[in-house]
Amino acid sequence: MTNVKHHKTIVLSDIHLGSRWSKAKEVTRFLKENTCDNLILCGDIIDGWNLARGKSKKWKRKHTKFIKLLLTIQHKTKITYLRGNHDDFLDAVVPMAFQNIKIVKDLVYESGGKRFYILHGDVFDTVTSRFSWLSKIGDVGYTLLLWLNRRYNDRRAKKGLPYYSLSKEIKNKVKTSVSYISDYEQHIVEIARARKCDGVICGHIHHPEMRYYDEILYMNSGDWVESMSALTEDYNGNWDLVYYEQEETVKNRTESLNPQLIPLSV
């Protein structure tokens, strides 16, 4: 194993094991090349909704390999698994701990003298929390978008071009999607503020982001369906948003972010 990077903390979310769209092979490779003291799995790691549809051959060997990797690294890495809406089957056992793995709904994490509220984020999404039947219909539409994304990238691969998230680009261009993301971020920031935290870390909406809303740092680890992104923390309490394809820091590190850059309007 070459060029292994070690971090204090890595946050991954929305891997969706059990879905044909899960980039399980890539996230397994990422964790082999990026070790850490603390691994936070921020929800929707296993796609229980997809598995419950009853179709065969959904769970692949690559999905099992990721679980095996977790069981291997947990001897040296503290793993915290947060329940998401697609792995809501965990409600029956939360909270639970075995060996060096803990399963919880949320937690407060201290980093660089600051408090971060960490959760999957679906409980603050009115669609998934109040109208689960509607969100499952939307999940079917999202599956179609991912199918288009795969076909588009198959063509790019044949031309020798790198992976490009067409589905992410479409979502970024649709006005209602942009509005939804903004509303979601502002809502979840208010919850962090109410809990007297300095920041919030979440997943759920498959939109990786690091930005300040006034004094609150909002960080979304993204997903391993489209973005293949993660959050990493060093031993000085600095956070980076990284993408698997580039294996490099995106935009700015947290110490250079301006906390007054984006005012929160309520």
Side-chain angles (χ1 to χ4, degrees), residues 5-264:
K5 301 175 184 177
H6 188 76
H7 312 269
K8 179 183 178 183
T9 304
I10 294 176
V11 181
L12 301 172
S13 67
D14 297 270
I15 300 173
H16 290 274
L17 299 174
S19 165
R20 63 183 296 191
W21 315 113
S22 174
K23 301 293 193 303
K25 184 183 298 184
E26 289 81 359
V27 71
T28 299
R29 188 178 298 125
F30 175 82
L31 277 186
K32 288 181 177 179
E33 296 172 352
N34 293 270
T35 59
C36 58
D37 296 340
N38 305 296
L39 175 61
I40 299 176
L41 302 173
C42 202
D44 283 5
I45 305 306
I46 298 174
D47 196 327
W49 290 9
N50 194 63
L51 293 171
R53 292 187 185 127
K55 297 179 182 178
S56 61
K57 299 181 180 178
K58 289 182 178 179
W59 190 270
K60 305 292 185 180
R61 182 178 297 179
K62 61 183 180 180
H63 301 160
T64 300
K65 286 184 176 179
F66 179 78
I67 298 298
K68 286 183 176 179
L69 178 63
L70 294 182
L71 295 176
T72 298
I73 68 174
Q74 59 96 16
H75 296 294
K76 295 182 178 180
T77 300
K78 178 182 177 181
I79 300 176
T80 305
Y81 188 142
L82 279 70
R83 168 259 192 226
N85 54 303
H86 280 258
D87 41 24
D88 54 5
F89 57 86
L90 292 172
D91 284 340
V93 298
V94 172
M96 182 178 72
F98 58 97
Q99 294 186 342
N100 207 23
I101 301 175
K102 183 184 295 183
I103 303 175
V104 297
K105 288 188 176 181
D106 58 5
L107 74 151
V108 174
Y109 178 77
E110 293 192 5
S111 169
K114 297 182 178 180
R115 286 163 41 93
F116 289 86
Y117 184 44
I118 307 181
L119 72 169
H120 179 62
D122 61 294
V123 293
F124 304 117
D125 179 348
T126 56
V127 174
T128 57
S129 61
R130 299 183 184 180
F131 306 103
S132 60
W133 61 272
L134 183 59
S135 64
K136 290 178 181 180
I137 292 175
D139 189 51
V140 173
Y142 183 54
T143 298
L144 175 60
L145 188 59
L146 293 176
W147 180 86
L148 292 171
N149 189 69
R150 171 170 288 184
R151 293 296 175 267
Y152 176 72
N153 276 286
D154 284 346
R155 289 190 175 186
R156 288 179 62 84
K158 289 178 181 178
K159 295 179 180 179
L161 298 173
Y163 175 85
Y164 178 80
S165 182
L166 175 65
S167 51
K168 179 183 176 183
E169 186 65 21
I170 291 173
K171 288 194 300 181
N172 287 341
K173 297 295 184 182
V174 177
K175 185 176 180 179
T176 53
S177 175
V178 174
S179 177
Y180 166 79
I181 291 171
S182 177
D183 290 346
Y184 172 86
E185 292 178 353
Q186 294 191 35
H187 191 179
I188 212 165
V189 161
E190 281 302 306
I191 298 299
R193 181 177 284 114
R195 289 177 175 263
K196 300 187 183 306
C197 289
D198 303 287
V200 62
I201 298 173
C202 59
H204 184 53
I205 59 173
H206 295 205
H207 187 77
E209 184 67 270
M210 282 179 60
R211 65 190 300 182
Y212 273 97
Y213 283 87
D214 291 334
E215 79 286 5
I216 303 295
L217 177 58
Y218 168 90
M219 294 190 284
N220 192 305
S221 52
D223 65 281
W224 289 82
V225 174
E226 305 172 70
S227 306
M228 293 188 287
S229 56
L231 291 167
T232 63
E233 178 202 18
D234 67 18
Y235 287 94
N236 294 317
N238 299 311
W239 289 86
D240 291 327
L241 174 60
V242 297
Y243 288 84
Y244 172 77
E245 285 295 306
Q246 295 90 351
E247 289 276 348
E248 63 185 19
T249 303
V250 177
K251 296 182 181 179
N252 301 309
R253 296 174 62 89
T254 55
E255 69 264 29
S256 64
L257 287 172
N258 182 357
Q260 300 303 320
L261 182 62
I262 303 171
L264 175 60

